[in-house]
């Protein structure tokens, strides 16, 4: 594997992971209600995509414009996996060992948020009651759920990586 790809993938993976830890820590310390805020989620996604694009632009420049689809995907994938693993380990420690009560508070806030949204969309009360029951039975911050979420994040990120690979790969004329 090319050293530039490995170095940049690892470095940006650590950046993504630390950014995620910072955001989680800030939300945790400022207001747990922010965990249910949709705009925080969208802002996070936009920042992650921006960091990933910067990573790929930087790596392509360091490779003097010769960047195959496989190299683009590999660079991105390394960074995403490292970032997700750092974030997941932090969440496991925070919500299962440091402050397990926080996950119960966030669960209640999430249920309240979901009920309010369903009521806004005139969902039948049976659907609302079932959603409450399902959410109460689910511990989204358990170690198993966090690991399962990490796997789904990696899968979703892989799809994004394929798209970015198609965008950032060198054109045939650039490879000569």
């Amino acid at each position: 594997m090319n050293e530039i790809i490995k170095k940049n993938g690892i470095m940006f993976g650590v950046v993504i992971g630390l950014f995620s830890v910072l955001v989680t820590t800030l939300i945790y310390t400022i207001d747990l209600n922010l965990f249910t805020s949709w705009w925080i989620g969208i802002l996070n996604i936009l920042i992650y995509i921006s960091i990933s694009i910067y990573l790929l632009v930087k790596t392509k420049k360091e490779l003097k414009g010769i960047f195959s689809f496989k190299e683009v995907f590999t660079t991105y994938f390394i960074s995403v996996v490292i970032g997700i693993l750092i974030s997941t380990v932090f969440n496991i420690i925070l919500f299962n060992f440091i402050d397990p009560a926080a996950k119960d508070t966030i669960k209640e806030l999430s249920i309240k948020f979901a009920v309010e949204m369903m009521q806004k969309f005139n969902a039948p009360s049976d659907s609302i009651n079932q959603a409450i029951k399902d959410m109460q039975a689910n511990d989204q911050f358990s170690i198993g759920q966090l690991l399962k979420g990490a796997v789904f994040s990696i899968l979703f990120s892989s799809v994004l990586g394929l798209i970015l690979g198609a965008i950032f790969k060198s054109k045939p004329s650039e490879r000569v």
Side-chain angles (χ1 to χ4, degrees), residues 12-29:
F12 278 82
V14 171
V15 167
I16 290 169
L18 292 178
F19 173 76
S20 179
V21 167
L22 177 65
V23 169
T24 301
T25 302
L26 286 173
I27 292 172
Y28 173 79
T29 56

Side-chain angles (χ1 to χ4, degrees), residues 4 13 24 36 45-46 49 58 66 102 112-113 136 138-139 149 157 163 170 175:
I4 293 171
T24 301
T36 64
I45 290 169
L46 292 175
I49 290 172
K58 178 182 182 337
I66 302 169
K112 180 182 172 195
F113 178 77
Q136 286 174 335
N138 183 23
D139 180 4
S157 295
I163 294 167
S170 300
R175 293 186 197 159

Side-chain angles (χ1 to χ4, degrees), residues 116-124:
E116 289 172 1
M117 290 302 292
M118 292 177 81
Q119 287 172 340
K120 282 182 186 176
F121 290 107
N122 296 318

Side-chain angles (χ1 to χ4, degrees), residues 92-104:
I92 288 170
I93 293 168
L94 176 63
F95 294 113
N96 290 282
F97 300 105
I98 294 174
D99 190 3
K103 66 182 177 179
D104 295 328

Side-chain angles (χ1 to χ4, degrees), residues 16-131:
I16 290 169
L18 292 178
F19 173 76
S20 179
V21 167
L22 177 65
V23 169
T24 301
T25 302
L26 286 173
I27 292 172
Y28 173 79
T29 56
I30 292 170
D31 185 3
L32 292 178
N33 282 299
L34 293 174
F35 280 108
T36 64
S37 180
W38 62 270
W39 63 270
I40 295 273
I42 291 174
L43 185 62
N44 271 339
I45 290 169
L46 292 175
I47 291 171
Y48 292 134
I49 290 172
S50 298
I51 292 170
S52 298
I53 289 171
Y54 180 74
L55 159 67
L56 297 175
V57 167
K58 178 182 182 337
T59 305
K60 187 172 185 176
K61 184 177 178 181
E62 289 178 13
L63 292 172
K64 309 212 182 332
I66 302 169
F67 208 15
S68 71
F69 178 85
K70 179 183 177 186
E71 291 171 327
V72 174
F73 182 80
T74 302
T75 305
Y76 172 79
F77 189 75
I78 290 169
S79 70
V80 165
V81 169
I82 290 171
I84 290 170
L85 290 177
I86 290 170
S87 175
T88 302
V89 168
F90 177 76
N91 287 335
I92 288 170
I93 293 168
L94 176 63
F95 294 113
N96 290 282
F97 300 105
I98 294 174
D99 190 3
K103 66 182 177 179
D104 295 328
T105 303
I106 296 168
K107 180 192 286 190
E108 291 305 315
L109 293 170
S110 297
I111 291 170
K112 180 182 172 195
F113 178 77
V115 167
E116 289 172 1
M117 290 302 292
M118 292 177 81
Q119 287 172 340
K120 282 182 186 176
F121 290 107
N122 296 318
S125 59
D126 291 346
S127 297
I128 294 173
N129 291 335
Q130 185 60 45

